[in-house]
Amino acid sequence: MLACNPLWAQDATLKPVTVNDSTAAPQADVTGFSDVPLREVPISATVVSREQLQQSGARRLADLTQFDASVTDAYNSPGYWDYLSIRGFTLDNRFNYRREGLPISAETSIPLDNKERIEILKGTSGIQAGTSAPGGLVNYVVKRPTQRDLREVRLEATSRASVLAAADLGGRFGTDRAFGYRLNMAAEQLRPVTRALDGERQLLALAADWRINRDSVLEAEIEWSHKRQPSQAGYSLLGSQLPAPVDPRINLNNQPWSLPSVFDAFTGTLRFEQAINSQWRWSAQLGSQTLKTDDRLAYAFGCGAEGNFDRYCTDGTFDLYDFRSDGERRRQQAASVQLKGRLSTGTVAHDLSLGLLTSQVRNRFNRQAFNYVGTGNVQGTAVVPADPALTDESTNRDEKSVELSVQDAIRWNDRFTTWLGLRHTRLERDSVRTNGTRPTAYSDGLTTPWLAASYKLQGDTTVYASWGEGVESQVVPNRAAQYTNAGVALPALKSRQLEVGLKGGQGGWGWQLAAFQIKRPMSNLDACSRLGITPCLGRYDGEAVHRGLEASTQWAGGPWRLGAGVTLIDAKRQGSTAEPAINGKRPTNVPDNVLRAMAAWKVPAVQGLEWQAQLSREGQRNVLPDGSITLPAWTRLDTALHYDTRLGGTATRWTLGIENLTDKRYWKESPYQFGHVYLYPGAARTLRLSFTASL
């Protein structure tokens, strides 16, 4: 279904918008080549659609790991904001996330109810982002006005009576239906099976557009969200032992004085697009994000009794802290101008894109509490007194960036295409403690290139190779007592990726195969902090090298839909002098293999009934940097029944789902975060019942 005025259909020069067309070739704005079908772009990416989000009951970013074998958890604590790992690298929540193509902070809870799709780019992202970790990018795309009137309501409940009510309304009005709207509302009472984790959330989002004429479109959208819920404190090693998986219903953040974390967000974009002629168009876009957070936790951290501050005590006790950071405020504003078009030089065709992006970040914090309050235990039975005194300083941060980019897909003939990308970024970053001490400031200019070539073989099969760079920046912590170059900015850390792959498909079958190598320079800052190295000269300290193979396929025929993906990763650290014991070892929390598979079967005997099953398996991973303790592999099975029928002329969908069908006990992940080993158990078996009506 094309969302365009029928009067303009013959000669419209703006790009049409596809709505609810499952047969269309998916496109991904996050690749930087949004006008080219994803199957032709020499980049690995996954698009998770609105239908997939609804069918799976996904509520948060962490729920998206089920859709791609290269995406895994990276410190995903229930009730907190989410961290993802792609190709073994943890994404940076400050720099690796986009919304409507503009940079945002993911240091908050981001709702999915008003998202049309989530785009996941895999690999280095130097042509898409000024600075970012090398794993990839995540781009949230919001729902836009529909051509036909949409009236959809949804109710969903889970095992312990978590209840969601949501509405999705859309349509067009006015002369020639020039004005469109899309309104999403959601309210949820959160009552997960994990104890002491009850909360609530709300969402109100509106998207609108005005088709001024056949060549001009103005789009605007705003989103307000609120979430109030405690988070789940992680478990850890008991001395030098990996404990057996615990009951996932136990929450160590269960003191009588434990307060919920609160995430408030107000986000919006304004975009104008103008067609110059049938070949060229330009667009301008503004985006703003304002976050307010109260971050609170009964924080289990280390074992002072045994002198181990990265794990719990052998007897299952741990040091417990009262952590509170109220009134955190983060604001990010961005603006972009882009020119896209096609031109020919002889027999060679060019798909060109020129862009200018500016961004400004202002983060303000208050003093925080991080006070030792006693000894807890892994049974969750200890009760200790609170100490909310604000005894610790935080760090305020400012950042400005200007990015110039150019991309060109050069089509030499019907089969051979070369792809070029270049981005230059000017950065200015400042930070200072909340009491005015330890100021730092630096500026830098960074250039990141990307090159690729693709060749269409017979049919729809394409072979490609690409090479690109990504860049990160680090500043030595401004602690003069430990670092001899405290507060100094390190030279830019440039990651490099080489990727070769095959993409293809025909009819109901599609597949992709990619091999990659990413080399990421590393610093010694984490090692100096974790090991207490004093004095420490902040500097480069070797590199992380991740080599991997990704394969995925989807097939649909008759009553069946099948899909599977597997990722094999050989990840190693090399060249470290600060911590020689980790050379040749796999980084922590990176599984050596991941398998995702799904099957769906339309039951012939019952019209509208479909059974689905989802399998996830993740291989073993290192818990400690030296590899002396590993987490076993695990496998989980989810299943669901979907029933589409009409009640009194109203189209309805009923879903009965069971997550973790066998109620398996396992350690899901082992992030080494904030200088501490954490273990997160897989969720207990959860029943989900949902009802959707399209009025």
Side-chain angles (χ1 to χ4, degrees), residues 400-432:
K400 294 180 182 179
S401 66
V402 179
E403 303 174 24
L404 292 169
S405 64
V406 57
Q407 294 170 208
D408 188 8
I410 308 171
R411 304 184 185 276
W412 300 91
N413 52 48
D414 291 341
R415 292 180 177 270
F416 182 58
T417 304
T418 54
W419 311 70
L420 308 175
L422 189 69
R423 181 173 293 264
H424 179 74
T425 303
R426 291 294 307 177
L427 285 176
E428 294 181 14
R429 289 179 178 165
D430 303 90
S431 70
V432 64

Side-chain angles (χ1 to χ4, degrees), residues 456-472:
K456 286 187 177 181
L457 304 174
Q458 61 181 1
D460 287 333
T461 300
T462 299
V463 58
Y464 70 89
S466 68
W467 173 89
E469 292 184 344
V471 66
E472 300 171 88

Side-chain angles (χ1 to χ4, degrees), residues 380-410:
T381 58
V383 177
V384 299
D387 184 359
L390 302 179
T391 57
D392 196 20
E393 301 296 334
S394 190
T395 302
N396 296 325
R397 296 182 177 89
D398 293 284
E399 176 181 336
K400 294 180 182 179
S401 66
V402 179
E403 303 174 24
L404 292 169
S405 64
V406 57
Q407 294 170 208
D408 188 8
I410 308 171

Side-chain angles (χ1 to χ4, degrees), residues 442-446 471-476 485 488-495 521-523 525 538-541:
Y442 80 98
S443 60
D444 202 356
L446 314 167
V471 66
E472 300 171 88
S473 59
Q474 284 188 318
V475 176
V476 178
N485 57 341
V488 173
L490 297 180
L493 304 174
K494 281 200 172 185
S495 301
M522 303 295 290
S523 73
L525 302 183
R539 56 178 175 80
Y540 283 133
D541 187 46

